[in-house]
Amino acid sequence: MLAVELRFRRVNGENLRTERPVPGGCPSLPGYGFSDKPAAPGWGIERISDAWCELMARLGYRRFGAQGSDWGTSIATSIGQRQPDRVAGIHLIPPLAPPDPATLDDLTGAERAALATLREADEWGSGYSAQQSTRPQTVGYGLVDSPAALCAWIVEKFWSWTDSGGDLHRVITRDELLDNLMLYWLPGTGASSARLYWESLRQVNEWISGSAGAPVTVPTGCSVFPKELQRPSRRWAERRFPNIRYWNEPGKGGHFAAFEQPALFVDEVRSFFRLVR
């Protein structure tokens, strides 16, 4: 998740207008990475989005953009819904939107492929999320006790979800994987990170394959990488995001686009925010 302040910078206690984007920050999710672990239930995506808007306010940012992938997609979307007057735009990798029932008799090839990916993921790739969304603490004990268990749990998803042609280390090195794993191992977040699935996965799954929900009207940029798990077509996405200003489908990259293809990721973010700043 990335928050970028677009119009003002803080200098000597005053907000001064600037013509160039000023970095806002990359907050880590509660229970992940460098953040503290929630001590009680209730830290779902709406509460996190409210906390990050409050964080931006305390840092002195009046207006900002939000960019997210994975859980950050839903949190950036929630920020756009809950604080539309403060948000210049949201950039999503990918937008979460269900198939439009009105199109099911006239699907494009890309839409058929997207539906096939969702069906395969539901049948063969969703066991981890079912466990974490129903009994996160059970698996959590193993993830904070055994480095081998943590490594297998996480690296399997890197192997499955990257655009690597079956050779993970073509796009992410062993050292990079270990760096990522250590952000779970050293602070002991194997259990606390799983709790977000218990809090919010049912809601996110509804956005992926159920109802589009309330429209998100802030300016929206969408980047859909070819090996992403959810790849809604633009016409599906526009039912939920009626103000799409930027849409692109890069030629390579998977679910971990910023990790796999950092240069492409940066280009996507810049291309959208140039349109709304």
Side-chain angles (χ1 to χ4, degrees), residues 224-241:
V224 183
F225 285 79
K227 295 298 183 180
E228 180 59 86
L229 298 176
Q230 292 83 36
R231 301 189 306 277
S233 64
R234 180 163 185 164
R235 63 175 176 170
W236 292 352
E238 285 175 339
R239 294 175 64 231
R240 188 176 185 212
F241 303 95

Side-chain angles (χ1 to χ4, degrees), residues 1 27 34 51-52 56 59 68-69 92 94-95 98 113 122 136 138 141-142 169 214 217 228 269:
M1 179 71 190
F34 301 108
W52 286 356
M56 295 298 283
L59 291 173
S69 61
L92 309 175
D122 183 61
T138 304
Y141 289 118
H169 299 306
T217 59
E228 180 59 86
V269 175

Side-chain angles (χ1 to χ4, degrees), residues 2-3 16 36 75 99 124 136-137 150 166 180 190 197 206 244 259 270:
L2 174 67
L16 301 181
D36 203 356
I75 294 166
W124 295 105
Q137 201 66 16
L150 181 70
N180 181 278
Y197 288 77
E206 178 69 14
I244 293 176
F259 209 177
R270 287 175 172 170

Side-chain angles (χ1 to χ4, degrees), residues 47-250:
R47 186 172 179 182
I48 294 171
S49 67
D50 289 346
W52 286 356
C53 287
E54 178 64 20
L55 170 65
M56 295 298 283
R58 293 188 185 188
L59 291 173
Y61 298 122
R62 294 187 193 174
R63 189 166 180 265
F64 59 89
Q67 191 286 326
S69 61
D70 199 278
W71 279 112
T73 297
S74 296
I75 294 166
T77 300
S78 180
I79 288 173
Q81 288 178 312
R82 297 166 77 85
Q83 300 280 348
D85 294 338
R86 297 184 59 204
V87 177
I90 57 175
H91 180 257
L92 309 175
I93 304 180
L96 297 186
D100 181 358
T103 68
L104 296 182
D105 292 331
D106 184 31
L107 294 173
T108 67
E111 288 170 340
R112 285 193 294 270
L115 288 175
T117 299
L118 288 177
R119 286 193 295 267
E120 182 177 4
D122 183 61
E123 184 174 1
W124 295 105
S126 61
Y128 83 101
S129 59
Q131 173 70 43
Q132 292 186 157
S133 64
T134 56
R135 294 293 186 272
Q137 201 66 16
T138 304
V139 69
Y141 289 118
L143 298 179
V144 299
D145 180 68
S146 168
L150 181 70
C151 183
W153 190 260
I154 293 177
V155 173
E156 186 272 328
K157 291 307 168 197
F158 275 102
W159 180 82
S160 298
W161 295 348
T162 52
D163 187 8
S164 65
D167 183 4
L168 174 58
H169 299 306
R170 286 198 312 118
V171 293
I172 301 177
T173 68
R174 291 178 184 272
D175 282 346
E176 288 171 335
L177 284 173
L178 287 171
D179 287 344
N180 181 278
L181 287 166
M182 294 304 278
L183 291 175
Y184 289 86
W185 181 251
L186 291 179
T189 59
S192 58
S193 60
R195 294 182 193 130
L196 183 53
Y197 288 77
W198 187 87
E199 296 279 1
S200 294
L201 186 66
R202 293 167 185 80
Q203 181 177 352
V204 171
N205 281 341
E206 178 69 14
W207 292 332
I208 293 171
S209 57
S211 168
V216 184
T217 59
V218 297
T220 303
C222 305
S223 300
V224 183
F225 285 79
K227 295 298 183 180
E228 180 59 86
L229 298 176
Q230 292 83 36
R231 301 189 306 277
S233 64
R234 180 163 185 164
R235 63 175 176 170
W236 292 352
E238 285 175 339
R239 294 175 64 231
R240 188 176 185 212
F241 303 95
N243 193 8
I244 293 176
R245 305 284 187 89
Y246 177 84
W247 182 278
N248 193 34
E249 300 176 17

